[in-house]
Amino acid sequence: MRWESIPSCCCGLALNSTPFAALLQSCIHSNSLRGCRRVHGRLLKTPFSSETFIGNRLIDAYAKCGSLEDARKLFDAMPQRNVFTWNSLIAALTSRGFLHDARRLFESMPEPDQCSWNSMVSGFAQHDRFAEALEFFVSMHADDFLLNEYSFSSALSACAGLADSRIGAQIHASISKSNLADGVYMGSALIDMYAKCGRPSDARRVFDGMARRNVVSWNSLITCFEQNGPQNEALVLFVRMMENGVAYDEVTLASVVSACASLSALREGKQVHARAIKCDEHRQDLVLSNALVDMYAKCRKIGEARSVFDRIPVRDIVSETSMISGYARSSSVEEAQSVFMGMLEKNIVAWNALIAGYTQNGEDEEALNLFLQLKRESVWPTHYTFGNILNACANLANLRLGQQAHAHVLKHGFRFKAGPETDIFVGNSLIDMYLKCGLIDDGGKVFDRMVARDEVSWNAMIVGYAQNGRGRDALCLFGRMLASGKTPDHVTMIGVLSACSHAGLVEEGRVYFHSMTDEYSLIPSNGHYTCMVDLLGRAGHLEEVVKIISEMPMAPDSVLWASLLAACRMHCDVEIGEWAANKLFELDPSNSGPYVLLSNMYAEKKRWRDVLRVRRLMRTRGVIKQPGYSWIEIGSKAHVFLAKDKRHPFRKEIYGILEVLKVQMDKLNTNVYISREVFSCSSE
């Protein structure tokens, strides 16, 4: 019905206000605020203008057509109100997010009914005020109001938002006692709640107990396994769904494709893609297309990902970010940058994806430049941003930039705590950066000030102490780790054994090595055996090393043999050294290190024929000894020195200072002879 259908001259002849109510409903359907006001104007000329029923309809119409101000004015002017009057305005306020006003109105309401309470529970839940939504739900239940599907579903949504499965399980118990327990709608809501609380087994139990299921039920459980794992269960459920004759939709396909992405299941992902192509409705769905781009990118099929991306009629940030991540993962950073530069709107996820792409592909300076651009454009960085930036600083061993990034971390209030949005890994990245820059104590300060620590935090400090020669500090920290209730893993034990090696604690090293299997159920790897070889080799227990190698359950790698060869060089054991060197010649024939070490061992024993034999073998195999590098950073510029390289712009000054040092050392009657060849180190 249209408002023009009632002539103004006949308004007074209407028997009741029903025609006006129909006109207002028409205004709601067409979202016509102007129509509402014209109907209201005509109503004022009729005897029905003060009628509560039509006043309630007007409030509802004004609110749904976008004028809460008109709705509130009408509410305040109404001479008589009933419960529907209050509910109309409360529903309007909660739906538009004016929760403070809704709460005040609700609290001033003479007698709230079931609808009033439901509006408060659902309104607060829909606007992510989950705790308050549950407070209203509990109060509603305490006041003995009947809880219906609307009440329960809103409360379950709040539990899902809080990931509070304890209260969710209590609500589940209440539902089980009601006549709603067998409803498909309630079952789907419970599955969704358990899924978002990370309890897939409980979600599966609800699903299996449902007498009837619809596509929403199936989708909820498939999405549950896709997000919580095991992801292969999502694929199994999809097959069962088709076998049961349930028609899947684009939500089903998107979840299954995402599961394929997590599993790198390219063949299954292509099969789902083929099903989507056969249906025009599914083929054009943006969420499904984005999932396909992500799946192909994670399966290293960047060409197929780009093909899907190019066919998306209207892309969003998710499409472009998935494409950037895919290019970065496949080391195509230039293409990732091209997509990034073409984005009309860039969110922090896109910035993080490109920064991560640079760091993952060794382009750390580009990552730092992009971070500076991000700051210039006033984009608010996240913990992922800082994690990648600190990794770039660590890789470059750039302490100055790392300290600046640390200052930004502090300004943004990161405290390195656990939780749904944990930022512990930012603290771990800070520790790693300081350790790689040689500032062990600064790394320790970050560690001590972290609110929460995970295994990576402990391992980073233990390994860092060990690598920097502070073995006893590493072992002391390991004791603190055990006292805190943390269980060591393989990386922890690498650090502990390395610490024993650097500190010369042979007996302690033996004890820790055997404790791996006896106390912590850890099977030693090549790395742990290498640590033991290094520990025992440094201490001169070469026969014990030979015994350990012969009893290893796996073949020793080149790192282990190199460690043994270095120990033989230290203790002048040519026989075992030859054994280790020959193994290295087989595993890594182009590496000059073993040839040089073995040659030096022969030279110390004055076995000149063997020295010539090794050097001839190097020439025959085309092995060239790579020159050594050293560098120093002065004024934020790195100066790299290479033996017999005369390209440094200040080489004359460098040689001059070296000559002065040589003269001074000669005057002090040092017994060190410094050849001119040793001093011919210059910078590129």
Side-chain angles (χ1 to χ4, degrees), residues 183-415:
V184 65
Y185 176 74
M186 212 75 271
S188 300
L190 281 166
I191 293 169
D192 180 68
M193 182 274 294
Y194 281 124
K196 289 176 180 172
C197 290
R199 293 173 59 170
S201 57
D202 290 317
R204 183 60 180 263
R205 196 173 298 115
V206 172
F207 180 84
D208 291 340
M210 292 175 68
R212 293 181 298 108
R213 308 182 187 108
N214 60 10
V215 65
V216 177
S217 318
W218 287 92
N219 286 351
S220 296
L221 191 60
I222 288 172
T223 303
C224 171
F225 284 117
E226 179 263 312
Q227 293 177 348
N228 296 287
Q231 280 80 16
N232 62 301
E233 280 296 317
L235 305 187
V236 172
L237 271 171
F238 179 57
V239 173
R240 270 188 61 196
M241 181 180 181
M242 291 187 293
E243 289 173 349
N244 288 349
V246 181
Y248 53 79
D249 58 14
E250 62 276 7
V251 177
T252 323
L253 296 178
S255 295
V256 175
V257 168
S258 295
C260 292
S262 300
L263 296 166
S264 296
L266 179 62
R267 183 171 63 88
E268 291 80 359
K270 284 184 173 180
Q271 291 174 354
V272 179
H273 189 186
R275 290 183 176 275
I277 290 173
K278 293 176 182 177
C279 179
D280 290 337
E281 182 183 353
H282 298 159
R283 191 189 310 156
Q284 300 298 320
D285 183 71
L286 179 60
V287 175
L288 176 56
S289 297
N290 290 345
L292 284 166
V293 171
D294 184 60
M295 184 272 294
Y296 281 121
K298 286 180 178 175
C299 292
R300 307 283 179 176
K301 294 294 181 180
I302 198 65
E304 286 85 342
R306 183 67 199 226
S307 178
V308 175
F309 178 79
D310 289 338
R311 287 198 296 269
I312 299 175
V314 181
R315 305 178 193 122
D316 62 1
I317 290 179
V318 176
S319 323
E320 293 163 326
T321 304
S322 297
M323 203 66 239
I324 292 170
S325 299
Y327 275 132
R329 198 178 290 112
S330 62
S331 302
S332 304
V333 185
E334 289 184 6
E335 287 82 355
Q337 185 183 31
S338 175
V339 176
F340 180 81
M341 296 304 294
M343 293 176 68
L344 297 176
E345 179 186 354
K346 303 179 181 74
N347 64 359
I348 187 58
V349 179
W351 287 91
N352 286 347
L354 188 56
I355 290 173
Y358 282 132
T359 55
Q360 289 164 9
N361 290 280
E363 299 186 29
D364 300 298
E365 291 182 357
E366 289 295 332
L368 293 174
N369 290 334
L370 190 61
F371 175 71
L372 294 177
Q373 183 183 341
L374 176 151
K375 294 295 290 181
R376 282 194 297 270
E377 296 191 15
S378 301
V379 179
W380 193 258
T382 67
H383 42 320
Y384 295 110
T385 319
F386 286 113
N388 284 308
I389 289 304
L390 288 166
N391 288 339
C393 294
N395 294 336
L396 293 170
N398 192 322
L399 177 61
R400 183 178 60 85
L401 287 176
Q403 288 173 328
Q404 291 177 4
H406 190 178
H408 281 293
V409 167
L410 296 176
K411 287 178 183 176
H412 283 75
F414 293 107
R415 300 182 62 225

Side-chain angles (χ1 to χ4, degrees), residues 658-668:
L658 290 173
E659 288 295 338
V660 170
L661 289 172
K662 178 178 179 297
V663 170
Q664 291 177 350
M665 292 171 73
D666 288 341
K667 286 181 179 179
L668 292 171

